[in-house]
Amino acid sequence: MKKTILGILGAAALTLSAVENDNAALNRDLQFRVQGCEITAQLQFTLANPNGSAVLPAPEIQDSAECLSVDYQMPDLSWKIRVVPRGKTLVAESELHNSGRTEQLLEPGLAFQFRTGVSFSGFWDGFGKTLEIGNVPIGRKGIKGALEKHVGASTSPYPACAVFQGDRVFFLGTVPFDPLSYTAAMYNPGKKRLESSLRIVLSPGQTLKIRQVLGSITAPYGIPEGVVQTYYDSFPEVYAVSGGQDNPYVWGTHAHYMSWWRKPDRELSRRFHITLEWTYCAYRRSGELLCRDDRWDYKPSAPFRTQNMLGGELVNHARYSAPEFRRLVKERFLKYGRNFGWMYYNSCGGTWSEIQLAEKYFPDSINNDTDGVRKYLENWSTIHDREVRVFPYGTSYAEEFERAQKILVRELDLPGFAFDCSYGGAYYRGPATGKPLPGRAWDDQGKFIDQSIAINHQVDYVRGLRNKEGEPLSVFFNGNLKGDYAMTEASYVEKAQYKRWFPLLRWQIGPRPGTTHKHGFCIRQVQPDWRNLTREAFLDLVGRLSDHMILNQFQYGLANDQLSMFGNPQMIYIQPEALELMRALWQVELPLKTEFDGRVRYLSRYGSGANTFFYFGNSSRHDVSGKVSIDNSRLTRKEESVLFVRKMRDQAVTENTVSGGFTQFKLNVPSRTPVIYEAVASLTMPDGKVRVSSKKSLDRIVFTLEPEKAIDSKIRFRNIYGFRIGSVEVDGKPVVCTGNSAELKVPAGGKLSVAYMSRAYQLSEADLKKFSFTDPLGRPVFRVQTVPEAKNVAERFNEYFRFAEKYQGGVTMKNDIPITVSDAPVPAAETVTLLIGGASGIRMADNGGIVIAAENADQLDRLVTQFFYALDRKYPVKIPFRSVMGLLQNMVNHFDLSKTVLPCRSYFEGDGK
Amino acid sequence: MNIRTIPRILPAVLLSLLCSCASDQVLIEPCQVSGVPAVRLKNDCISAEIAPECSGIFSELRMNGSPAMIAPVVYRVEEDDLLPPEREQNAAGGRAALWGFPIRPYSMTLQRSGRMPDGSGLVEMACNHWLGQPLTMTRTIRLHPGESRFLITTTVKNSSDTEQQISLWENFSGHLRGDNLADELLFPVKGGVSRIGNYGVKYFKSDALFRKVQKQDKASYKIAVREPWAARCRAGAPLLVLRSGQLGNQGFFYTWSGTELEHTTEAVQSPASVAPGGIRSFETEYLVFPEMPDFRGLCGDTAIGMTVCQDQVIFTLAACRRMDAGKFQADGLGTAASGIIEPGKTVQISFRRPEKWRVDLPVTGCFQGVNFTLLPIVP
């Protein structure tokens, strides 16, 4: 289908700026100027269609304090554009309206037209690497990337394109996850023109909103990285997690079937920091989540595999009627679902259905695309029967699927859904493309909608549902689309996969939390001849693999899971820090220079400004030392400097030197040890030295800054999840702090300290030590009393101490810890009292007992979890190896590992020197 | 991280054996495959290279001194501070694998190589704990003088004290050089079969010669074969056939299309239990014939092509070993004498096409006392 350019708005005389952001401005003549950059560009709006007929008329342009408006009026079409600033980008927010009687296939675009003398060396099309610019036009059309064979879909580009010379970058694009099935990017070196366009279909009377992005930045720390970071900073809402920081499911590790194939174990899950599970799968026919009576029995197209694990039990579907099976599923989900974060596996977001079901009930929904993607799968989503790709958006199947999810949320009290195969790249061309839906596009074969539109639509649908407490649901997704907790389906030891997927997939996941998901150590793959190893060599191998996985977890902010935790206390040890960093949100740009000369291969950054963390990892056998210079201009929007201290559990001191916009410090990166530096504050200060120290305890964190030169600045302190600022003092005198910032003066050689108080712990470690949980022989000598609603939570104390007994935690249990239940228990000595209502927190009672109180049972349960983490230092356990995927029973037997635990280095303790 | 350069030192054991090889019949020479020490096995007609360290890969197949016919093997080892060296090997060449286990590069050691008393050349390799299993795998590749075929025996011994369930797999990614998408695969399929063991197989109503062209069909299939062979051909290229011995009642052929240009022909033997200390073998052959128009089937060691014209049916015969002059009979068409067929050469036999002779039915016949059936091509 030949594309014809309908019109281009040309350049005109330069007038005053009409709309501007931090670093660039667009004037009424659509001339785009960048602060400190000689290159200017003429912004052009373009419109094309498959046939071509008219030229874009002259637009009406208006400007106001907030935006620049550009309106095109055509006989059957209006295109109204508002250009508004967003961070370091400008966003063209458009409305296109078809006032005619016929459908219109359109390709609106944006272009930067540069002057003749301008040249660029490279082009980025949105995929994983930049391309050299030659003499011929370079670009991409559409969003299909490389085939992802396992998921039957394809990679897709990040929704931006750029040209660059040195570190100066001009970029165009769209907003991540906006419903677009086709985008194109092109640079024509002859015409000096960067183009970005998208395709839409407009039905008669339809109005469609689209967003296009433009901007220019310097990117001295990587071109795509700079652009993607600009997107993260400018559109944080697209990567925001449902329920935010208080979401109880998405800031931990993944059970990886431990809570689904086996009977869920609260204490083991807590020790492994597990917060959610992938429940593959709780239905019989793929695409029929409800297990309806009238669709339960059928003749499968392939011999039927009837067994599946469900909540710790091998379930044979053939022995169940539909009502019996539904009862079983309901009973399991109500018992375990919310406690263990069971994300209901929903047949790949509704993109695969058992073939006969789809053909009989949802023929309009079948997706026939076979261009580089699969139409059929064998025994996958269900393990039961063959499946065909379906399209859950605007189709009969979408209605059924949404209805089913809504019912399941209500019936099973779900915490969320697990979306497998969250990728696009399969084009639906069925009847729903005739409906006036957003997300339609066109090509040589006609109208289509990409699968990504449908999956993102289903994610939005799920996020719109509420549980019975009115809380939003979470989406655990495997891929590159919308959702709250990401999965990359490979273990970090599978380097080839990561080389293929990253960095593009990591950019697309963005600052969201997530996990790896494969066979842990993957011993069979990485060491096929493991039987040739001695026991000592095998344990050395597992230790090395573990360190590799740990260094990578900090590098990518995606957690390892329980498969690498049995027998390996180091993997458990690092989780508090690793998960805290994940919660601080992974960032793509690394604005630092080091003296390491490539010897520290692992570097990453989380957060920005006063909430920044930097991680350094050295996989070599030798320690590496050197100076690090952090570019503050990339971390703060104002001319502020960020001060850091080595992140340790107890205390640390770091000498910062602020010079020429950089914060510098020396560090040592020991072999196979993650080293983290945490920001303490961001402020305006003269060049000079600042000594930063930390002191941490259960209920309190104190950071102290001792500047060499006087400071007179607004200072921003860090937000620490679970803590609030209790006091700020300069040389011992209190200073008023508003929110997390304060205006203050610190004299040269003075001392500024900020103290954070725990929201949960209102008792100190010393208080905790006073309470005797066990006698010298390790026998529990306390009792628990609770309100009736928390009886189940109280049982966790028995689980805790029985677990500690089982795994050499220094406990001997003869009898259960006594638990008494009453409506209004009175705190008492030698007693842990669980209360609902009143002041929330963990505190000492006057009589020496411990009180744990919360607003409701769920919150109380979470407080008890936190309380147990404090107890873990007193009762450290040794969880030995056991058979898991990636380290199988024959290996455990061969090397006699069933009582073995690898050594663990407490490298986040001490003073960090 | 760095890419390790493979040592280019040929093991002494190989050198000592090579010195004794004569040049007039089968030769065994040292060589390298993707930087790894390898062995070249050649006669006057064909040659191939075998790299024990690189999964015992069979590659660099040549006929009559031609350039290598199949896509080259690419193998590299990446070293990491913490991980074992990571071996990467592309899907090219032929190797043994175990069905049900991921194909990962493994290393074999050369056990012996040299000329056997019967004049054939032999390369034998072995590997302990093959693919991480308690199995010792031995693979021998044999070439006879004057033949254009390699005879391969893969033997597995259960070295554990428990019974092992195994299914041997001849994994052959022999895409012909050039425009790989033009490769045409041919499988003699058994009709009416939709399932073998635990697997669904591509269904055909009746027996046929299934033709799969990568350009048109990028799917992967399991195939129930009527005769245990799969052929690969392309205009301007020799004909390459993988033939297996007994597949067993749950064995099948397989073709996989990868994300790049891979388009494989593979044979998977029926799963079987092997007792502690027990062995299991799988015989396969790589047969090489000159380019053959309209290849339709095998008759023993002879490839038969059939071209149907308006008034003639022309049979082209090629053999992977010398065939004496003999009688060629095609049912319904007639009988004719064939001359001697030398490997690398073709012979043509023509018959007048009878009026009612149908091209869409199987053609049966007999050549030198061996019956054959040429199946109609689908799709």
Side-chain angles (χ1 to χ4, degrees):
Chain A
M1 207 178 278
K2 191 185 169 193
K3 186 180 82 174
T4 306
I5 300 293
L6 296 183
I8 294 172
L9 179 71
L14 181 65
T15 60
L16 293 172
S17 295
V19 61
E20 60 186 36
N21 62 19
D22 292 354
N23 68 332
L26 184 69
N27 71 17
R28 279 181 62 100
D29 297 315
L30 303 187
Q31 195 163 68
F32 182 74
R33 284 181 178 277
V34 187
Q35 208 172 42
C37 173
E38 290 179 358
I39 303 172
T40 59
Q42 185 65 41
L43 180 69
Q44 299 178 343
F45 292 98
T46 64
L47 191 65
N49 71 19
N51 308 312
S53 55
V55 173
L56 267 182
E60 183 181 328
I61 299 181
Q62 292 183 328
D63 61 339
S64 66
E66 297 83 30
C67 72
L68 178 76
S69 300
V70 182
D71 287 0
Y72 294 99
Q73 291 295 334
M74 289 154 273
D76 291 334
L77 181 70
S78 68
W79 184 12
K80 296 182 177 180
I81 305 157
R82 289 174 73 249
V83 183
V84 295
R86 283 290 294 269
K88 286 185 179 171
T89 73
L90 296 175
V91 182
E93 300 174 342
S94 294
E95 268 191 14
L96 291 108
H97 176 70
N98 178 359
S99 54
R101 293 183 175 181
T102 56
E103 189 174 71
Q104 297 192 47
L105 309 183
L106 301 169
E107 184 168 356
L110 275 182
F112 273 142
Q113 180 64 59
F114 300 101
R115 286 199 315 269
T116 313
V118 174
S119 70
F120 294 101
S121 60
F123 173 71
W124 178 51
D125 62 2
F127 285 104
K129 58 186 178 185
T130 58
L131 306 164
E132 199 175 323
I133 291 176
N135 296 323
V136 294
I138 185 170
R140 69 165 168 84
K141 292 184 174 180
I143 59 171
K144 278 199 188 194
L147 172 69
E148 275 301 312
K149 192 176 172 69
H150 173 61
V151 295
S154 78
T155 60
S156 55
Y158 199 84
C161 65
V163 284
F164 56 93
Q165 178 66 50
D167 65 7
R168 171 53 62 186
V169 186
F170 285 81
F171 63 90
L172 298 171
T174 56
V175 177
F177 310 137
D178 272 5
L180 297 169
S181 292
Y182 179 100
T183 63
M186 167 82 74
Y187 181 68
N188 187 326
K191 294 181 178 174
K192 308 288 181 193
R193 186 178 169 81
L194 176 67
E195 297 175 348
S196 166
S197 63
L198 54 100
R199 288 183 180 174
I200 58 171
V201 179
L202 270 183
S203 297
Q206 185 183 3
T207 302
L208 193 65
K209 291 183 178 178
I210 58 170
R211 294 190 289 178
Q212 293 157 292
V213 180
L214 57 132
S216 177
I217 54 167
T218 56
Y221 304 100
I223 302 300
E225 289 82 0
V227 177
V228 175
Q229 185 66 53
T230 301
Y231 266 73
Y232 291 177
D233 296 340
S234 305
F235 304 97
E237 72 281 3
V238 303
Y239 300 106
V241 166
S242 174
Q245 291 277 310
D246 289 329
N247 184 319
Y249 306 111
V250 303
W251 301 110
T253 68
H254 162 37
H256 202 147
Y257 306 133
M258 191 180 87
S259 306
W260 180 246
W261 289 350
R262 290 170 178 255
K263 187 182 171 196
D265 181 328
R266 282 194 286 197
E267 185 51 18
L268 186 59
S269 295
R270 186 194 65 78
R271 291 273 177 178
F272 289 170
H273 300 267
I274 290 169
T275 53
L276 78 174
E277 174 63 296
W278 185 265
T279 64
Y280 173 78
C281 58
Y283 44 84
R284 176 169 177 158
R285 297 178 82 174
S286 179
E288 213 280 274
L289 309 184
L290 290 179
C291 305
R292 290 165 47 156
D293 292 353
D294 59 332
R295 295 181 187 168
W296 181 251
D297 292 312
Y298 79 110
K299 186 171 182 295
S301 69
F304 203 58
R305 180 171 162 176
T306 55
Q307 294 188 333
N308 193 18
M309 295 300 293
L310 200 163
E313 186 182 333
L314 185 63
V315 172
N316 187 336
H317 298 162
R319 294 184 187 158
Y320 284 82
S321 66
E324 286 169 344
F325 186 77
R326 290 198 299 268
R327 266 199 298 279
L328 173 77
V329 171
K330 184 171 181 176
E331 180 257 315
R332 293 297 154 92
F333 268 88
L334 291 182
K335 189 171 180 183
Y336 300 121
R338 291 278 291 279
N339 280 335
F340 291 89
W342 278 9
M343 299 294 153
Y344 188 98
Y345 183 88
N346 67 355
S347 178
C348 305
T351 54
W352 294 96
S353 171
E354 180 271 315
I355 292 175
Q356 296 178 50
L357 188 79
E359 288 177 346
K360 185 170 180 184
Y361 298 104
F362 320 112
D364 64 311
S365 312
I366 291 175
N367 188 337
N368 292 305
D369 191 0
T370 55
D371 179 14
V373 296
R374 291 180 177 184
K375 180 179 176 184
Y376 297 103
L377 289 179
E378 288 191 19
N379 309 0
W380 180 11
S381 176
T382 53
I383 337 174
H384 310 148
D385 202 355
R386 295 183 69 224
E387 296 161 343
V388 65
R389 191 190 294 274
V390 290
F391 191 72
Y393 176 55
T395 59
S396 60
Y397 182 67
E399 287 175 26
E400 169 112 354
F401 188 68
E402 285 163 16
R403 185 175 146 269
Q405 290 183 116
K406 191 172 183 177
I407 291 170
L408 288 170
V409 169
R410 192 179 65 226
E411 296 281 312
L412 307 185
D413 193 19
L414 296 179
F417 285 89
F419 281 61
D420 205 355
C421 311
S422 282
Y423 286 89
Y427 294 170
Y428 168 81
R429 297 177 189 274
T433 58
K435 298 179 181 177
L437 296 167
R440 292 182 296 166
W442 50 272
D443 63 9
D444 293 350
Q445 297 169 52
K447 291 176 289 186
F448 67 91
I449 312 176
D450 182 53
Q451 179 174 277
S452 62
I453 312 297
I455 294 174
N456 283 338
H457 164 79
Q458 288 301 330
V459 172
D460 287 341
Y461 180 82
V462 165
R463 283 171 162 180
L465 299 173
R466 292 290 178 270
N467 67 16
K468 62 185 180 188
E469 279 84 30
E471 295 161 345
L473 277 80
S474 303
V475 169
F476 187 177
F477 69 102
N478 175 12
N480 60 13
L481 301 179
K482 280 187 176 180
D484 303 304
Y485 188 85
M487 170 189 286
T488 55
E489 204 172 344
S491 164
Y492 283 127
V493 302
E494 295 175 280
K495 278 176 65 178
Q497 285 287 46
Y498 284 93
K499 274 192 273 184
R500 197 160 65 85
W501 290 339
F502 282 13
L504 177 60
L505 177 58
R506 191 64 196 83
W507 297 341
Q508 288 165 324
I509 291 170
R512 291 177 288 180
T515 184
T516 60
H517 174 98
K518 207 54 182 294
H519 296 175
F521 295 120
C522 299
I523 300 286
R524 280 202 320 204
Q525 291 95 307
V526 300
Q527 191 76 43
D529 62 344
W530 56 269
R531 282 185 173 85
N532 286 334
L533 301 180
T534 62
R535 186 175 192 275
E536 188 183 25
F538 183 81
L539 290 174
D540 177 66
L541 168 70
V542 176
R544 282 187 285 118
L545 296 178
S546 167
D547 282 348
H548 175 84
M549 294 160 83
I550 287 170
L551 294 178
N552 277 280
Q553 178 169 349
F554 283 103
Q555 174 81 357
Y556 293 118
L558 302 170
N560 288 292
D561 60 33
Q562 50 92 6
L563 299 177
S564 56
M565 294 184 186
F566 287 99
N568 184 19
Q570 194 74 65
M571 186 60 81
I572 304 169
Y573 177 82
I574 60 104
Q575 292 306 326
E577 278 74 12
L579 297 176
E580 185 184 346
L581 263 58
M582 186 166 85
R583 187 186 276 283
L585 310 181
W586 184 88
Q587 305 293 317
V588 59
E589 189 177 63
L590 275 172
L592 54 77
K593 299 169 186 170
T594 74
E595 292 179 342
F596 299 141
D597 199 22
R599 289 170 299 155
V600 172
R601 279 170 42 196
Y602 295 91
L603 294 169
S604 64
R605 170 193 151 204
Y606 297 79
S608 61
N611 297 303
T612 306
F613 295 81
F614 280 103
Y615 151 71
F616 306 87
N618 162 21
S619 57
S620 75
R621 279 184 293 174
H622 308 289
D623 294 0
V624 177
S625 296
K627 190 172 74 179
V628 168
S629 301
I630 293 165
D631 187 345
N632 288 310
S633 68
R634 315 298 291 190
L635 297 179
T636 65
R637 291 182 66 182
K638 308 204 179 292
E639 289 180 352
E640 293 183 353
S641 298
V642 184
L643 300 176
F644 293 86
V645 64
R646 172 90 183 265
K647 183 172 173 55
M648 300 297 287
R649 289 183 182 176
D650 302 312
Q651 57 192 333
V653 178
T654 297
E655 300 287 350
N656 289 244
T657 301
V658 173
S659 174
F662 285 80
T663 298
Q664 301 168 341
F665 49 84
K666 287 182 180 170
L667 75 160
N668 178 44
V669 190
S671 167
R672 296 165 67 171
T673 302
V675 172
I676 304 162
Y677 278 77
E678 57 184 335
V680 170
S682 171
L683 72 166
T684 309
M685 61 171 285
D687 283 1
K689 291 183 178 173
V690 183
R691 185 173 194 264
V692 181
S693 56
S694 66
K695 196 155 187 172
K696 300 177 183 177
S697 61
L698 201 56
D699 58 336
R700 189 177 161 88
I701 297 171
V702 180
F703 293 124
T704 303
L705 284 65
E706 296 169 79
E708 182 186 59
K709 293 179 183 171
I711 291 172
D712 180 357
S713 167
K714 180 175 183 177
I715 183 164
R716 297 167 214 276
F717 298 109
R718 204 166 91 224
N719 289 310
I720 303 180
Y721 185 74
F723 285 80
R724 60 182 170 77
I725 292 180
S727 65
V728 177
E729 294 178 352
V730 174
D731 289 334
K733 293 176 186 165
V735 173
V736 176
C737 185
T738 309
N740 268 33
S741 61
E743 296 278 355
L744 48 77
K745 292 180 182 177
V746 185
K751 188 180 282 188
L752 163 66
S753 62
V754 53
Y756 292 80
M757 313 305 288
S758 168
R759 292 180 190 279
Y761 292 104
Q762 289 143 28
L763 49 75
S764 66
E765 268 145 344
D767 291 334
L768 200 58
K769 278 181 186 164
K770 286 181 203 159
F771 188 92
S772 295
F773 290 93
T774 50
D775 65 15
L777 295 175
R779 294 174 299 199
V781 290
F782 72 104
R783 65 192 185 96
V784 179
Q785 54 179 355
T786 179
V787 292
E789 304 95 295
K791 185 169 184 304
N792 189 30
V793 180
E795 289 295 342
R796 291 185 62 187
F797 282 83
N798 273 310
E799 293 168 19
Y800 182 92
F801 284 91
R802 289 214 175 279
F803 190 91
E805 179 187 39
K806 182 176 179 184
Y807 294 113
Q808 305 172 58
V811 171
T812 306
M813 292 282 279
K814 278 198 169 174
N815 302 305
D816 277 355
I817 296 161
I819 296 173
T820 54
V821 180
S822 64
D823 288 337
V826 178
E830 297 171 359
T831 305
V832 175
T833 305
L834 304 182
L835 299 174
I836 289 180
S840 181
I842 304 164
R843 57 183 180 269
M844 295 300 291
D846 294 340
N847 47 33
I850 291 174
V851 175
I852 305 176
E855 278 180 30
N856 56 47
D858 278 355
Q859 288 183 15
L860 186 66
D861 192 54
R862 281 171 221 146
L863 270 184
V864 168
T865 297
Q866 265 191 281
F867 181 67
F868 287 165
Y869 283 126
L871 281 193
D872 288 348
R873 275 194 176 189
K874 193 173 169 74
Y875 302 104
V877 295
K878 293 178 177 174
I879 306 169
F881 285 103
R882 81 173 186 202
S883 170
V884 291
M885 288 184 289
L887 199 158
L888 301 172
Q889 188 67 52
N890 53 4
M891 299 170 192
V892 174
N893 294 345
H894 187 83
F895 296 111
D896 189 21
L897 301 179
S898 60
K899 292 179 182 166
T900 302
V901 174
L902 287 173
C904 177
R905 292 181 292 145
S906 303
Y907 41 52
F908 294 133
E909 288 157 64
D911 59 8
K913 286 180 181 168
Chain B
M1 192 183 316
N2 59 71
I3 306 302
R4 191 178 76 181
T5 305
I6 306 297
R8 291 167 185 253
I9 304 162
L10 196 67
V13 61
L14 176 60
L15 276 173
S16 65
L17 289 164
L18 298 180
C19 295
S20 63
C21 291
S23 61
D24 56 340
Q25 295 191 17
V26 177
L27 283 176
I28 301 172
E29 306 169 337
C31 61
Q32 291 206 333
V33 169
S34 195
V36 177
V39 185
R40 183 178 298 118
L41 191 54
K42 62 184 279 193
N43 62 18
D44 290 347
C45 187
I46 58 172
S47 72
E49 294 172 4
I50 298 134
E53 183 181 323
C54 180
S55 308
I57 202 77
F58 174 97
S59 69
E60 293 293 310
L61 184 59
R62 295 166 204 268
M63 188 173 208
N64 296 330
S66 70
M69 286 158 48
I70 58 177
V73 168
V74 179
Y75 174 73
R76 64 176 202 162
V77 179
E78 189 174 299
E79 295 202 335
D80 185 282
D81 293 329
L82 297 172
L83 301 182
E86 187 183 24
R87 298 155 183 269
E88 287 181 17
Q89 191 174 339
N90 66 341
R95 74 188 108 182
L98 266 182
W99 188 256
F101 293 85
I103 296 184
R104 301 199 180 273
Y106 54 88
S107 184
M108 304 190 77
T109 52
L110 188 67
Q111 298 294 299
R112 59 187 176 129
S113 67
R115 216 169 64 230
M116 299 294 107
D118 64 357
S120 67
L122 177 136
V123 173
E124 183 177 295
M125 305 163 284
C127 162
N128 290 328
H129 302 308
W130 182 40
L131 295 168
Q133 301 310 301
L135 302 170
T136 300
M137 190 268 280
T138 307
R139 190 160 161 94
T140 59
I141 300 175
R142 188 184 291 264
L143 175 64
H144 285 280
E147 293 190 358
S148 61
R149 66 172 166 175
F150 292 90
L151 306 170
I152 299 168
T153 304
T154 304
T155 303
V156 167
K157 181 181 178 185
N158 178 359
S159 49
S160 76
D161 54 6
T162 55
E163 195 172 84
Q164 301 289 325
Q165 185 84 3
I166 61 167
S167 180
L168 287 169
W169 174 12
E170 184 68 25
N171 173 257
F172 188 46
S173 302
H175 24 282
L176 298 164
R177 281 200 171 187
D179 175 6
N180 292 334
L181 289 175
D183 266 20
E184 218 177 86
L185 304 186
L186 293 157
F187 299 86
V189 295
K190 193 186 288 181
V193 181
S194 61
R195 199 152 191 93
I196 292 180
N198 293 325
Y199 301 105
V201 295
K202 186 166 173 63
Y203 181 80
F204 297 87
K205 269 186 186 171
S206 54
D207 293 358
L209 191 62
F210 169 43
R211 181 175 63 184
K212 182 172 183 289
V213 183
Q214 173 84 328
K215 202 176 281 183
Q216 296 154 8
D217 183 353
K218 291 180 181 167
S220 301
Y221 298 114
K222 298 180 183 72
I223 295 161
V225 283
R226 186 179 185 275
E227 298 165 36
W229 56 261
R232 176 186 300 272
C233 50
R234 180 165 60 84
L239 170 71
L240 194 50
V241 177
L242 164 66
R243 181 163 66 181
S244 79
Q246 284 299 312
L247 286 174
N249 59 2
Q250 289 186 40
F252 53 87
F253 268 56
Y254 181 54
T255 176
W256 172 70
S257 291
T259 51
E260 304 295 330
L261 301 170
E262 302 94 341
H263 196 204
T264 67
T265 49
E266 309 176 43
V268 181
Q269 201 183 33
S270 214
S273 293
V274 182
I279 59 167
R280 183 163 172 79
S281 295
F282 193 23
E283 308 277 348
T284 50
E285 296 168 274
Y286 296 157
L287 315 176
V288 188
F289 302 98
E291 182 184 4
M292 174 167 294
D294 301 319
F295 169 73
R296 291 290 292 273
L298 289 182
C299 175
D301 295 331
T302 306
I304 304 177
M306 184 177 79
T307 307
V308 181
C309 309
Q310 191 96 27
D311 55 353
Q312 268 195 322
V313 180
I314 304 163
F315 293 92
T316 307
L317 308 182
C320 58
R321 61 183 171 85
R322 185 179 190 277
M323 302 297 285
D324 294 334
K327 197 169 71 175
F328 181 88
Q329 176 203 320
D331 298 341
L333 293 171
T335 301
S338 81
I340 295 168
I341 311 176
E342 296 284 357
K345 303 281 183 351
T346 58
V347 167
Q348 286 199 334
I349 295 168
S350 304
F351 295 103
R352 185 183 164 78
R353 179 179 173 179
E355 267 183 31
K356 292 184 179 176
W357 195 83
R358 283 177 57 181
V359 74
D360 57 340
L361 293 178
V363 175
T364 55
C366 181
F367 176 53
Q368 294 202 334
V370 179
N371 292 330
F372 64 82
T373 302
L374 307 182
L375 298 165
I377 293 176
V378 290

